[in-house]
Amino acid sequence: RIIHFPDFRSFERAFQLISQVGGRAGRKSGQGQVFIQTKNPDHPLLALITEHDYHTFYQRELPERMKFVYPPFVRLLRLTVKSDDRKLTAEAAKVLGEKLVEGLGRNRILGPQEPLISKIRNQYLMVLYVKLAKSGGAPEQVKMRILQMIHDLIHSKGFRSVRIVPDVDPY
């Protein structure tokens, strides 16, 4: 399941985790074994893991990230919208998403979406991701525009009880 997790880093995490388990197997008592349960034993990632071929993995992963504009080619900003009212949280996230798309463009905004864990400490959560250029295009000005959009939203009537928590490069 880790390979099919809806996250651009799922292959990287699978490679890292399975390699780590393999490295720890049999440390004390000699040779160990690792069993991987899968419905797709011919998946190319599994071949790379069993061969410990991190170089080829890297060479395949990097063009994918460049093509879809993911780190390390951009920085990600996660905006977590929180409120004790589920509908209000969803509405605030929708309004913020629309403002971000209007101000920054559709191709830079992901979401809003409900995270896998959508309620913590009686607070409902929604997340949006913003792809930020690492350099050029005045990244500091873009961050200031985003902060202004957040400020405007949480100080507008109806959304005063909503909190928005920004997190740059959350992973």
Side-chain angles (χ1 to χ4, degrees), residues 69 72-76 108 131-143 169:
V69 194
F73 300 101
V74 294
R75 300 186 78 181
L76 277 185
R108 294 177 70 177
K131 296 177 182 179
L132 300 171
K134 284 189 163 186
S135 61
E140 290 305 315
Q141 289 178 341
V142 172
K143 288 180 195 175
D169 296 328

Side-chain angles (χ1 to χ4, degrees), residues 122-134:
N122 293 322
Q123 295 279 299
Y124 292 96
L125 310 175
M126 293 289 288
V127 294
L128 296 108
Y129 291 90
V130 181
K131 296 177 182 179
L132 300 171
K134 284 189 163 186

Side-chain angles (χ1 to χ4, degrees), residues 90-154:
E91 182 62 25
K94 180 182 172 201
V95 170
L96 180 59
E98 289 167 355
K99 288 180 181 293
L100 290 167
V101 167
E102 183 181 307
L104 303 174
R106 175 76 247 163
N107 61 337
R108 294 177 70 177
I109 311 302
L110 301 172
Q113 64 189 28
E114 203 170 45
L116 289 176
I117 300 172
S118 61
K119 186 177 181 184
I120 298 176
R121 294 189 198 124
N122 293 322
Q123 295 279 299
Y124 292 96
L125 310 175
M126 293 289 288
V127 294
L128 296 108
Y129 291 90
V130 181
K131 296 177 182 179
L132 300 171
K134 284 189 163 186
S135 61
E140 290 305 315
Q141 289 178 341
V142 172
K143 288 180 195 175
M144 294 306 295
R145 286 175 56 200
I146 293 168
L147 288 174
Q148 186 62 52
M149 289 179 210
I150 291 169
H151 179 271
D152 292 348
L153 179 72
I154 62 176

Side-chain angles (χ1 to χ4, degrees), residues 2-113:
I2 192 170
I3 291 174
H4 302 292
F5 196 75
D7 188 316
F8 73 94
R9 293 167 311 251
S10 63
F11 282 11
E12 179 182 353
R13 286 187 173 169
F15 192 101
Q16 181 182 30
L17 184 63
I18 296 170
S19 295
Q20 184 179 21
V21 168
R24 293 181 180 197
R27 273 190 183 173
K28 291 186 179 181
S29 60
Q31 191 71 1
Q33 291 184 323
V34 175
F35 292 92
I36 301 171
Q37 181 178 349
T38 181
K39 289 183 179 180
N40 188 1
D42 298 323
H43 195 286
L45 179 65
L46 296 176
L48 294 174
I49 293 170
T50 57
E51 296 165 7
H52 306 290
D53 191 355
Y54 61 88
H55 185 70
T56 301
F57 170 76
Y58 177 79
Q59 287 178 326
R60 288 182 184 173
E61 187 71 11
L62 215 52
E64 285 290 309
R65 292 199 185 180
M66 180 183 285
K67 178 181 177 182
F68 294 106
V69 194
Y70 279 108
F73 300 101
V74 294
R75 300 186 78 181
L76 277 185
L77 169 64
R78 178 178 59 205
L79 300 172
T80 304
V81 180
K82 300 179 176 188
S83 166
D84 60 2
D85 181 319
R86 180 183 219 135
K87 287 182 182 179
L88 181 63
T89 303
E91 182 62 25
K94 180 182 172 201
V95 170
L96 180 59
E98 289 167 355
K99 288 180 181 293
L100 290 167
V101 167
E102 183 181 307
L104 303 174
R106 175 76 247 163
N107 61 337
R108 294 177 70 177
I109 311 302
L110 301 172
Q113 64 189 28

